[in-house]
Amino acid sequence: MVLSHYNSLPIHLSHGAFVTSESLFSLNFSSNFAMTPSLNCNNIIMNGNRNNRRIRNGSSHISHINAVKVDQSLVSEDDEDFVLPSKDFAAQANVQSHQQYLEMYKRSIEDPSGFWSDIASEFYWKQKWGDKVYDENLDIRKGKIKIEWFKGGITNMCYNCLDRNIEAGLGDKIAIYWEGNEPGLDGSLTYSQLRDQVSQVANYLKDIGVKKGDTVIIYMPMLMELPITMLACARIGAIHSVVFAGFSAEALTQRIVDCKPKVVVSCNAVKRGSKTIHLKDIVDAAINDSAQNGVSVDVSLVYENPVALKRVDTKWKEGRDIWWQDVIPSYSTNCPVEWVDAEDPLFILYTSGSTGKPKGVVHTTGGYMVYTATTFKYAFDYKPSDIYWCTADCGWITGHSYITYGPMLNGASVLVYEGTPNYPDAGRCWDIVDKYKVTIFYTAPTLVRSLMRDGDEYVTRYSRKSLRVLGSVGEPINPSAWRWFYDVVGDSKCPISDTWWQTESGGFMITPLPGTWPQKPGSATFPFFGVQTAIVDEKGVELEGECSGYLCVKSSWPGAFRTLYGDHERYETTYFKPFANYYFSGDGCKRDKDGYYWLTGRVDDVINVSGHRIGTAEVESALVSHPKCAEAAVVGVEHEVKGQGIYAFVTLVDGVPYSQELRKELILAVRQQIGAFAAPDKIHWAPSLPKTRSGKIIRRVLRKIASKQVDELGDTSTLADPNVINQLIELADS
């Protein structure tokens, strides 16, 4: 077990006692905090040591701990700060100690059938699964890759999200709070009201011929009608495929042609900030292009969003296009569920592929249901009184697992926000937090860095006193952004669930459990229940202890995807062939001396400089640690001597001028934190970086600019601000 070798670390106390870290949790420290078991106390240092560091406890910073003595020789110069949960938080947490986690984790690995069966039994099953809770083959040498959980069990995702909660007395509880792009535009639905609207959409879909196993494409902004449509598909056993409403007509066409939907559900337009985006024009172009590729769409259901575009101004094709408001309200609010097998598909979600063709990740019903509900409950320390806000879009896996399904399976109240996080100004997020008394706030490091760049005043003008847990998703969060998020946004009192997972994993894989153990800024900490992580070298040999390599998983977990739609061979080749008998995540990872996991970015984001493999995330983190650097993105470029060179795009804090001196300081920061071999060959000033509307940096574009291949940028239609590209090209030689 990954953590077991930390249970016997000897620690000397000031009164001469000698204990192991297993018993530390019961000790009463004069510094008013409780140590968690398995924490390597070599990192706790007395005041006066040359490597003196702060240990944070709740809202206070503790610079010394008189009760603990350690061997100074075991302390390194670059030890990370530990951030400790407060006693009060830990006392009410769902998992209250590291020891409790270890016991639960141990059972989840040694008895996965019993562990997950107990949790699955909390949900409604029309028929229980068979004798085998799970069946798997992850070794491509032994035949076809197969993952199955709860096969033979009959259930329904929508029923468990809505009906089960209503029957438990939550019918009048708010299921969705909706905040529009424009301040003051809002709405809400209780669980009973949500089920009524879901049933109306489900009945309409059935009426036009959609049945169990058919595919429905959803191309909508963050209106309540988006999760409503997802749940409606689940209610009747249809497979939904949500496409982020920022993708181009070409990208939408690819998905239509691949999954051949019975209907496309969309919206005529949306306002993002002050900009109007004509979504139906994109849908029309995609449907026309799909027809030329042999796939016709007979029904286009369109929601009228009058704030963005009036009905009279919307282009229309009679016989194909149907207004949502003209048909949905007339249908019955009672729709019987279609009971499905646990292994029946729930949705297809397309993710980027190295070949350019998107991969249709297929998630099934039963295992995904159990896993997303469980990860949501524990990783956010969910309580029934929480108001939960995830800033993601339902076009991504985060919106599936942690806006729609995971929260509602727990009966949570979820906030859905239509607009951009900095409209009308950079304080909008915290205005929304105060308005709805948000308690759990889950967002992306890109947004954290962007808000950090805008200045503390946009945060501190708001109370935010309702917040109790923060979360990070999408990419590794650099330590300086982590600390700002913790200190400024969370007032040094909110644990941060810095989650690592993937579209393919369905739910969190490595994540902190708030209140359970100390955190290290930038580390995803430890594996979730049932997840057997392994770090391997190039030959697939598993590495022990402190190490770095390729992040793999040894066995299946309930939320794992089952295949790539229509291409099981690609599924096997991409994820299971690189390292036999492992699921290969495609990510690099290091494990430190305390057992904490640090994600270093995609393996294809690793730069090989003179034989040194350098993760772009590591270099970016070092650059952003400089107080004048707001954000950085690093790519590799060809180098005639070193093979590859390091090319860094750097966005400075507002008001800081470009200078050669600052370039030198930034390079020095990397040299000091990583080494001379990782120093950037080029610092390219960037007023901003090319990002999608969800905040993801488009590194493909940066590679082309760095390589001076500006005529080969490819599709840039998903950019939030296309003008960024011209700015970067103009600054290439500055």
Side-chain angles (χ1 to χ4, degrees), residues 44-53 68 70-72 75:
I44 301 176
I45 305 170
M46 291 181 60
N47 189 32
N49 286 357
R50 65 186 180 88
N51 294 326
N52 185 37
R53 294 163 45 241
V68 180
V70 297
D71 184 349
Q72 294 183 39
V75 179

Side-chain angles (χ1 to χ4, degrees), residues 310-495:
K310 301 296 183 185
R311 179 179 294 209
V312 69
D313 298 320
T314 304
K315 296 175 184 176
W316 205 249
K317 182 174 180 179
E318 294 294 340
R320 182 196 69 189
D321 299 343
I322 306 291
W323 285 113
W324 175 296
Q325 287 89 337
D326 286 353
V327 293
I328 300 300
S330 64
Y331 280 85
S332 169
T333 57
N334 178 35
C335 179
V337 301
E338 179 74 33
W339 300 106
V340 301
D341 189 275
E343 282 301 317
D344 282 340
L346 176 67
F347 65 85
I348 302 168
L349 186 58
Y350 288 88
T351 186
S352 58
S354 58
T355 64
K357 181 185 176 184
K359 299 176 291 189
V361 170
V362 177
H363 279 287
T364 54
T365 303
Y368 175 84
M369 175 178 74
V370 172
Y371 196 72
T372 53
T374 308
T375 49
F376 176 82
K377 174 183 176 180
Y378 287 110
F380 293 122
D381 189 52
Y382 170 72
K383 303 293 190 293
S385 59
D386 280 320
I387 306 296
Y388 167 78
W389 180 20
C390 171
T391 65
D393 190 285
C394 285
W396 311 112
I397 187 62
T398 306
H400 286 59
S401 299
Y402 300 113
I403 292 179
T404 304
Y405 293 123
M408 291 187 189
L409 287 165
N410 282 277
S413 294
V414 180
L415 176 65
V416 173
Y417 175 47
E418 177 191 26
T420 58
N422 57 356
Y423 178 80
D425 62 38
R428 184 66 185 279
C429 283
W430 321 122
D431 178 53
I432 293 172
V433 165
D434 283 358
K435 176 178 177 178
Y436 295 96
K437 304 295 186 290
V438 171
T439 58
I440 304 172
F441 179 71
Y442 188 38
T443 193
T446 296
L447 177 58
V448 173
R449 289 190 291 266
S450 174
L451 296 173
M452 181 178 168
R453 179 188 181 194
D454 290 326
D456 295 2
E457 63 272 15
Y458 284 104
V459 183
T460 56
R461 69 172 64 162
Y462 298 96
S463 165
R464 296 160 287 108
K465 65 181 180 181
S466 61
L467 289 173
R468 67 178 199 89
V469 175
L470 303 174
S472 171
V473 60
E475 59 182 294
I477 184 170
N478 52 292
S480 61
W482 193 104
R483 290 187 178 95
W484 182 87
F485 199 25
Y486 179 80
D487 288 333
V488 179
V489 175
D491 283 336
S492 302
K493 65 181 179 63
C494 300

Side-chain angles (χ1 to χ4, degrees), residues 45-212:
I45 305 170
M46 291 181 60
N47 189 32
N49 286 357
R50 65 186 180 88
N51 294 326
N52 185 37
R53 294 163 45 241
R54 297 182 301 173
I55 292 187
R56 308 182 183 197
N57 174 26
S59 60
S60 62
H61 290 171
I62 300 175
S63 59
H64 65 283
I65 298 176
N66 294 326
V68 180
K69 291 181 179 179
V70 297
D71 184 349
Q72 294 183 39
S73 66
L74 296 178
V75 179
S76 66
E77 293 278 359
D78 59 350
D79 279 339
E80 301 84 2
D81 285 354
F82 281 113
V83 179
L84 304 176
S86 69
K87 271 186 174 181
D88 290 342
F89 192 103
Q92 60 79 55
N94 290 332
V95 180
Q96 297 180 357
S97 70
H98 206 165
Q99 187 60 40
Q100 184 184 350
Y101 159 78
L102 287 172
E103 291 169 359
M104 294 175 69
Y105 183 79
K106 183 174 187 288
R107 187 190 175 209
S108 75
I109 300 304
E110 295 181 352
D111 179 23
S113 294
F115 181 87
W116 290 112
S117 288
D118 287 350
I119 294 174
S121 296
E122 298 173 10
F123 299 94
Y124 181 81
W125 299 82
K126 190 76 170 176
Q127 175 182 305
K128 194 175 179 181
W129 50 92
D131 293 336
K132 260 190 173 180
V133 176
Y134 72 101
D135 191 15
E136 66 180 32
N137 173 41
L138 272 59
D139 192 341
I140 201 167
R141 298 167 300 184
K142 296 180 179 178
K144 184 178 180 180
I145 299 297
K146 179 179 71 172
I147 297 172
E148 294 176 344
W149 283 82
F150 311 111
K151 188 172 178 62
I154 305 299
T155 189
N156 181 277
M157 174 67 89
C158 181
Y159 186 92
N160 277 285
C161 285
L162 303 182
D163 304 66
R164 182 175 60 94
N165 286 316
I166 293 168
E167 291 163 9
L170 300 181
D172 292 332
K173 182 178 181 178
I174 298 296
I176 299 176
Y177 289 101
W178 180 76
E179 174 77 5
N181 179 68
E182 295 296 333
L185 188 63
D186 54 30
S188 65
L189 290 172
T190 66
Y191 270 90
S192 291
Q193 291 169 335
L194 178 57
R195 182 178 63 177
D196 287 348
Q197 294 200 21
V198 166
S199 295
Q200 288 180 311
V201 176
N203 281 324
Y204 168 76
L205 292 175
K206 287 168 64 177
D207 197 33
I208 63 171
V210 178
K211 58 186 183 300
K212 178 183 175 182

Side-chain angles (χ1 to χ4, degrees), residues 582-601:
Y582 290 103
Y583 164 80
F584 175 44
S585 69
D587 283 335
C589 183
K590 67 178 181 180
R591 185 169 53 227
D592 68 20
K593 62 184 179 301
D594 302 310
Y596 284 68
Y597 285 76
W598 301 76
L599 278 298
T600 55

Side-chain angles (χ1 to χ4, degrees), residues 413-709:
S413 294
V414 180
L415 176 65
V416 173
Y417 175 47
E418 177 191 26
T420 58
N422 57 356
Y423 178 80
D425 62 38
R428 184 66 185 279
C429 283
W430 321 122
D431 178 53
I432 293 172
V433 165
D434 283 358
K435 176 178 177 178
Y436 295 96
K437 304 295 186 290
V438 171
T439 58
I440 304 172
F441 179 71
Y442 188 38
T443 193
T446 296
L447 177 58
V448 173
R449 289 190 291 266
S450 174
L451 296 173
M452 181 178 168
R453 179 188 181 194
D454 290 326
D456 295 2
E457 63 272 15
Y458 284 104
V459 183
T460 56
R461 69 172 64 162
Y462 298 96
S463 165
R464 296 160 287 108
K465 65 181 180 181
S466 61
L467 289 173
R468 67 178 199 89
V469 175
L470 303 174
S472 171
V473 60
E475 59 182 294
I477 184 170
N478 52 292
S480 61
W482 193 104
R483 290 187 178 95
W484 182 87
F485 199 25
Y486 179 80
D487 288 333
V488 179
V489 175
D491 283 336
S492 302
K493 65 181 179 63
C494 300
I496 298 176
S497 287
D498 178 11
T499 60
W500 175 79
W501 60 300
Q502 303 174 307
T503 302
E504 294 87 344
S505 74
F508 305 144
M509 299 290 279
I510 304 176
T511 179
L513 301 183
T516 307
W517 54 65
Q519 293 188 250
K520 292 187 179 186
S523 168
T525 69
F526 302 122
F528 190 72
F529 305 127
V531 178
Q532 295 190 65
T533 49
I535 299 176
V536 304
D537 63 15
E538 290 88 347
K539 297 179 180 178
V541 176
E542 185 172 349
L543 306 174
E544 300 293 338
E546 186 176 1
C547 61
S548 62
Y550 301 94
L551 181 58
C552 296
V553 184
K554 294 183 185 181
S555 62
S556 71
W557 59 101
F561 73 133
R562 305 306 199 244
T563 189
L564 294 176
Y565 185 72
D567 199 347
H568 196 75
E569 182 180 355
R570 187 182 184 191
Y571 168 74
E572 295 180 330
T573 301
T574 303
Y575 301 99
F576 299 95
K577 192 174 181 179
F579 302 107
N581 210 22
Y582 290 103
Y583 164 80
F584 175 44
S585 69
D587 283 335
C589 183
K590 67 178 181 180
R591 185 169 53 227
D592 68 20
K593 62 184 179 301
D594 302 310
Y596 284 68
Y597 285 76
W598 301 76
L599 278 298
T600 55
R602 299 294 293 171
V603 171
D604 53 17
D605 286 337
V606 171
I607 303 170
N608 196 326
V609 179
S610 299
H612 296 284
R613 293 179 59 79
I614 304 166
T616 56
E618 293 180 272
V619 182
E620 290 164 1
S621 180
L623 289 167
V624 176
S625 70
H626 192 288
K628 294 181 180 179
C629 177
E631 193 166 19
V634 170
V635 297
V637 291
E638 287 188 16
H639 192 285
E640 61 181 2
V641 176
K642 296 185 289 187
Q644 280 190 297
I646 297 175
Y647 196 109
F649 293 84
V650 171
T651 300
L652 301 178
V653 172
D654 279 347
V656 175
Y658 304 141
S659 71
Q660 194 60 32
E661 186 62 31
L662 183 52
R663 267 200 179 100
K664 294 177 182 177
E665 291 178 18
L666 290 166
I667 292 171
L668 181 60
V670 178
R671 292 174 66 98
Q672 290 176 336
Q673 293 188 36
I674 304 177
F677 62 89
D681 297 279
K682 168 78 173 180
I683 300 286
H684 185 138
W685 302 125
S688 56
L689 297 170
K691 300 175 184 177
T692 65
R693 294 182 186 93
S694 67
K696 185 175 183 179
I697 297 170
I698 306 180
R699 296 174 189 275
R700 165 181 55 81
V701 169
L702 294 178
R703 291 189 188 97
K704 293 297 183 182
I705 293 174
S707 301
K708 299 188 183 301
Q709 298 172 320

